[in-house]
Amino acid sequence: MVFVFYLFAQPPMLFEKTAMKAIQSQAGYSESQARFDAAWRKRGEGGGESECRAQAGRHREPERFDGGFTGAAQREIDSARKSGITLYEKSQAKAGFGRTGFNDTNYIFLTFVTRYFPAGVIGLVIAVIMNAAMSSSSGELNSLAAVSVMDLYRRLWRPDENDRHYLVVSRIFTAIWGTWAVIFAQYAKNLGSLVEAVNQVGSYFYPVLLGVFVLAFFFKSVRGSAAFWAMLTGEAAIVACSIFTHIAFLWFNVIGTVVVVIAGLVFSLGAGGRAPKVHHPDHQAA
């Protein structure tokens, strides 16, 4: 819907406000902005329709977007926008930041909200975003710290400490994982759309987890060791698809899940497919 909206309402040349401020003092900004405005007016005033008629007179099928906009008109807008991006990258290089690969996809929705929503609704949207971010971050950091302490630190290194010791260690692990999250976020912000970036990274891990849940719910004979090796097999299959094929990352979820389930069944058959016998203390005493 926001995409459709910006087909009829002129967007800024760059959606990131700091980038726009950075290029406004650069030589060539006025020319780039004038090109962008002129290209937008041409498209909005029916310049695309005139071009369509001209192409039809030459017996050529016009390249069109919905709404009567031609591909040539859109390319002219994109070219003007690209000149603005080039100005920004040059300004960053002069300042010593060396930022390249500019992408302001994540600023499109926020620009729409701040420009066109009433003040109260803007505050509500920002509050919702902050609330979602805080709840997700707290849950993830808590889970990572819990796994680090209970499954690694306590099991492998310090199994006999008191609860206060594990509480202090869990806080240390929370700080470590939080620092790593901040560092990774600095890299991830340059990956373009965060929704796509999250799913790209997650596609390496989601299918393995889904495969284990499928095994747990529908294949009761598969034991823990078989599921563990199935997870490693599924992860190896995903990495291999990423390196040696051009399959879209969303297919990793399907491929990884199927590989985990099949591998779990195969490993379970290899181990006999039976649950280990549990020896009750009363039986041993008898």
Side-chain angles (χ1 to χ4, degrees), residues 78-279:
D78 293 339
S79 176
R81 172 178 154 80
K82 187 176 180 179
S83 66
I85 294 175
T86 302
L87 285 176
Y88 177 65
E89 291 179 343
K90 288 181 178 179
S91 69
Q92 293 296 289
K94 289 181 181 179
F97 295 108
R99 180 179 177 182
T100 58
F102 174 79
N103 190 312
D104 58 353
T105 301
N106 296 309
Y107 293 87
I108 296 175
F109 178 71
L110 294 177
T111 300
F112 172 74
V113 169
T114 55
R115 278 195 172 192
Y116 298 102
F117 278 24
V121 179
I122 293 175
L124 180 62
V125 171
I126 298 301
V128 168
I129 293 174
M130 294 296 295
N131 183 47
M134 291 170 63
S135 62
S136 299
S137 299
S138 63
E140 291 164 359
L141 294 177
N142 180 71
S143 298
L144 289 167
V147 169
S148 301
V149 173
M150 303 306 295
D151 292 344
L152 297 177
Y153 181 82
R154 183 174 182 176
R155 177 176 295 183
L156 301 178
W157 293 302
R158 305 289 288 272
D160 300 320
E161 299 292 340
N162 56 41
D163 290 341
R164 178 171 179 79
H165 174 83
Y166 293 125
L167 174 63
V168 173
V169 173
S170 68
R171 291 174 176 173
I172 295 174
F173 273 109
T174 301
I176 293 173
W177 283 115
T179 303
W180 166 250
V182 172
I183 295 172
F184 187 81
Q186 296 302 309
Y187 165 76
K189 71 180 182 180
N190 297 321
L191 295 179
S193 171
L194 287 180
V195 174
E196 184 175 347
V198 166
N199 282 282
Q200 284 180 338
V201 176
S203 292
Y204 287 89
F205 307 102
Y206 298 156
V208 174
L209 298 177
L210 178 58
V212 170
F213 275 101
V214 171
L215 289 175
F217 277 101
F218 299 106
F219 301 96
K220 305 294 185 181
S221 62
V222 177
R223 312 312 304 169
S225 59
F228 173 77
W229 290 109
M231 290 176 64
L232 295 182
T233 304
E235 193 64 43
I238 294 170
V239 173
C241 289
S242 175
I243 296 175
F244 300 110
T245 72
H246 298 286
I247 298 174
F249 66 88
L250 289 176
W251 282 103
F252 295 170
N253 297 281
V254 178
I255 295 171
T257 301
V258 172
V259 170
V260 169
V261 172
I262 294 176
L265 294 174
V266 171
F267 289 134
S268 180
L269 291 174
R274 294 188 300 271
K277 293 182 180 180
V278 178
H279 300 283

